[in-house]
Amino acid sequence: MSAAAAGDEPWLDDAAGRLVRPFTVSNGRTRPSIALDLMSQVMATGVTPLGYLGPEHGQALDLCLAPVSVAEIAAQLRLPAAVAKVLLSDLVDCGALTTKPPVTQHHPTDRALLEAVLDGLRRKL
């Protein structure tokens, strides 16, 4: 087990990885209370959450000092996106985070964009 300081990464082991199942991090919840896209931007408001939140909530909040995407938070916490969305929605519900939808530059069915993606995939194969 890694020799981390008290309170630092208590749920991780260098060899085994995460020691706690992701669904326990979100208390078994699988759906966030608000709609969050993977590209949604979240940012800390400066409000201190009332009551106890898990260590992952604090880690997520620390990552949100500047606007950051939900996908980036999930990657940094090494959690599935669904679990990260639940944690982030908890923080939005208590006023510690604010969110805004992603800025889209292209319509999702833009033909030129879809052709560029298809060309890129063909080059990879």
Side-chain angles (χ1 to χ4, degrees), residues 21-97:
R21 298 260 187 219
F23 63 83
T24 60
V25 172
S26 62
N27 293 324
R29 294 172 294 142
T30 59
R31 299 204 193 285
S33 59
I34 61 169
L36 289 170
D37 185 86
L38 286 176
M39 297 307 296
S40 294
Q41 298 287 304
V42 291
M43 184 173 169
T45 61
V47 173
T48 303
L50 298 176
Y52 175 77
L53 295 174
E56 287 83 1
H57 287 90
Q59 292 169 349
L61 192 55
D62 290 343
L63 294 170
C64 297
L65 298 178
V68 63
S69 71
V70 171
E72 182 65 23
I73 296 296
Q76 291 291 324
L77 294 178
R78 297 180 185 164
L79 289 171
V83 174
K85 287 179 182 182
V86 171
L87 295 178
L88 293 172
S89 71
D90 291 346
L91 291 167
V92 170
D93 289 345
C94 71
L97 286 182

